[in-house]
């Protein structure tokens, strides 16, 4: 008797299970997970070799003792546009953050008062073949999906301009905050393109299909008040003078507590967002089991913590 083809839900559950293993009853968060591999004609080594030809700028990461990381896009000569080496460095920093046991939050911002203007056009012009473009697309989708799934609460601080790929990067964060003079703009249509780093799919999840269609089809310049109105951002910062300091204060409201608990909270939210209900419930149960009876839980019980 032939076995029927698996349903979409069964395939999603199988893939999610492949991301997790339960040695000794402990749940491990997925690491080094790729959406694409050689089955999709994606050759990571080959695209990395090509990306390495386009140098300039850097991705800097600092990790503070309070569990807050600061990731800086540093290429101010090109409004922090991504060069090829910066794309590779972003992947490396995300891999480092996946293994940060004491991490609780991450702030992403751009150097010298602007966020990111997308891709370095020099690289775009020289990677103009369809296969190169697809490989770069798959490479960045892999990296930004891993960023989105980090067991850290992530915030993009949008100061100045977030254009094209820069706008897409903001959608891979849990929250977005804007300074008063900043803007977000998905300019892809003006380049004869659509988002390729996963920004369109994530934008629909954030604001809904109709607002996303308006932003993409009109290449709309989204100012802070409009972004707040449609739910694209969480808040408008009070000024552009000390955005990092103000964002740290905002983020600490959500990262107060032990790292293992904050990371568990993020994991159950990711499961709820990405999995069918039954699989999300089972995953939540397993994550619950990693903190039940743990140090934070026992300390709260010992102190008879009450909720008011």
């Amino acid at each position: 008797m032939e076995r029927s083809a698996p349903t979409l839900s069964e395939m999603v559950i199988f893939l999610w299970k492949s991301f997790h293993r339960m040695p000794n009853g402990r749940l491990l968060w997925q690491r080094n997970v790729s959406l694409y591999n050689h089955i999709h004609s994606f050759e990571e080594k080959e695209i990395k070799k090509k990306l390495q030809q386009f140098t300039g700028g850097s991705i800097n990461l600092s990790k503070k003792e309070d569990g807050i990381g600061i990731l800086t896009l540093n290429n101010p000569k090109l409004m922090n546009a991504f060069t090829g080496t910066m794309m590779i460095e972003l992947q490396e920093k995300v891999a480092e953050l996946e293994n940060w046991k004491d991490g609780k939050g991450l702030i992403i911002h751009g150097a010298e008062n602007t966020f990111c203007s997308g891709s370095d056009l020099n690289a775009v012009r020289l990677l103009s073949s369809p296969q190169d473009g697809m490989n770069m697309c798959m490479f960045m989708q892999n990296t930004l999906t891993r960023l989105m799934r980090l067991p850290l609460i992530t915030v993009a601080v949008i100061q100045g301009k977030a254009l094209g790929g820069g706008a897409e990067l903001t959608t891979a964060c849990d929250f977005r905050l804007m300074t008063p003079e900043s803007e977000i703009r998905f300019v892809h249509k003006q380049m004869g393109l659509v988002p390729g780093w996963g920004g369109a799919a994530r934008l629909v999840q954030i604001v809904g299909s109709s607002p996303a269609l308006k932003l993409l089809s009109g290449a709309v310049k989204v100012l802070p008040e409009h972004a707040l109105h449609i739910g694209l951002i969480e808040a408008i910062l009070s000024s552009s003078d000390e955005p990092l300091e103000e964002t740290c204060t905002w983020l600490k409201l959500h990262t107060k507590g032990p790292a293992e608990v904050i990371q568990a909270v993020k994991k159950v939210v990711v499961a709820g967002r990405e999995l069918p209900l039954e699989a999300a419930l089972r995953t939540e149960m397993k994550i619950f089991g990693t903190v039940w009876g743990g140090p934070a839980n026992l300390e709260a019980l010992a102190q008879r913590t009450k909720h008011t």
Side-chain angles (χ1 to χ4, degrees):
M1 181 177 179
E2 292 186 1
R3 185 177 180 180
S4 59
T7 65
L8 178 59
S9 293
E10 289 172 338
M11 292 175 66
V12 171
I13 292 170
F14 171 78
L15 288 171
W16 184 261
K17 286 180 177 178
S18 72
F19 296 162
H20 299 77
R21 292 296 182 266
M22 292 287 293
N24 302 319
R26 302 296 288 179
L27 180 68
L28 298 182
W29 193 241
Q30 72 274 19
R31 303 180 192 279
N32 304 318
V33 177
S34 292
L35 297 171
Y36 305 106
N37 53 39
H38 66 279
I39 296 174
H40 308 95
S41 300
F42 175 56
E43 299 296 337
E44 184 172 297
K45 291 182 179 180
E46 291 303 314
I47 191 61
K48 277 188 171 182
K49 287 181 182 178
K50 293 189 176 182
L51 290 175
Q52 285 171 346
Q53 299 173 34
F54 309 106
T55 60
S58 62
I59 303 292
N60 307 123
L61 175 64
S62 63
K63 294 183 286 188
K64 299 164 63 178
E65 291 184 0
D66 60 4
I68 304 296
I70 308 290
L71 190 144
T72 305
L73 312 176
N74 187 15
N75 190 15
K77 291 182 180 179
L78 297 177
M79 292 177 59
N80 299 323
F82 273 92
T83 62
T85 53
M86 286 173 68
M87 293 181 189
I88 295 171
E89 285 183 27
L90 179 63
Q91 183 195 58
E92 293 169 349
K93 301 306 182 187
V94 169
E96 182 178 345
L97 289 164
E98 286 172 335
N99 293 286
W100 188 19
K101 294 181 180 179
D102 298 324
K104 296 191 285 185
L106 177 69
I107 296 171
I108 299 178
H109 77 120
E112 296 191 16
N113 305 320
T114 197
F115 188 74
C116 175
S117 60
S119 302
D120 177 4
L121 292 181
N122 291 323
V124 171
R125 291 188 187 98
L126 294 175
L127 293 173
S128 59
S129 75
Q131 188 57 54
D132 284 342
M134 289 293 288
N135 273 324
M136 182 177 67
C137 167
M138 289 186 280
F139 181 84
M140 289 302 290
Q141 280 194 15
N142 280 343
T143 299
L144 294 186
T145 299
R146 288 170 64 181
L147 171 64
M148 185 174 64
R149 290 173 174 167
L150 282 174
L152 309 172
I153 298 177
T154 58
V155 184
V157 182
I158 300 145
Q159 186 178 18
K161 299 178 185 294
L163 307 177
E168 292 193 67
L169 173 60
T170 71
T171 66
C173 295
D174 299 315
F175 301 108
R176 286 150 294 282
L177 306 180
M178 294 179 75
T179 60
E181 299 82 14
S182 59
E183 68 177 73
I184 301 172
R185 194 175 185 187
F186 295 85
V187 297
H188 306 76
K189 188 187 78 167
Q190 296 181 338
M191 300 294 294
L193 296 169
V194 297
W197 295 359
R202 294 189 297 268
L203 183 63
V204 170
Q205 289 184 333
I206 294 166
V207 302
S209 58
S210 293
L213 183 58
K214 291 178 182 178
L215 298 187
L216 295 176
S217 64
V220 176
K221 181 188 295 186
V222 187
L223 300 178
E225 292 78 8
H226 182 47
L228 185 63
H229 176 70
I230 64 175
L232 181 56
I233 66 172
E234 193 70 19
I236 302 172
L237 298 172
S238 61
S239 74
S240 301
D241 295 334
E242 297 292 340
L244 278 183
E245 183 177 340
E246 190 174 348
T247 301
C248 281
T249 301
W250 185 91
L251 182 55
K252 285 179 181 178
L253 297 174
H254 305 281
T255 57
K256 184 179 179 180
E260 64 270 19
V261 176
I262 302 303
Q263 292 191 16
V265 169
K266 175 64 181 288
K267 291 174 185 180
V268 296
V269 170
V270 171
R273 180 182 64 218
E274 297 192 9
L275 290 176
L277 178 59
E278 289 187 5
L281 291 172
R282 293 190 186 102
T283 301
E284 183 174 317
M285 175 269 295
K286 293 172 182 177
I287 295 170
F288 174 82
T290 68
V291 291
W292 177 266
N297 178 225
L298 294 177
E299 182 179 351
L301 291 172
Q303 295 176 354
R304 297 184 180 181
T305 300
K306 294 183 178 180
H307 311 287
T308 57

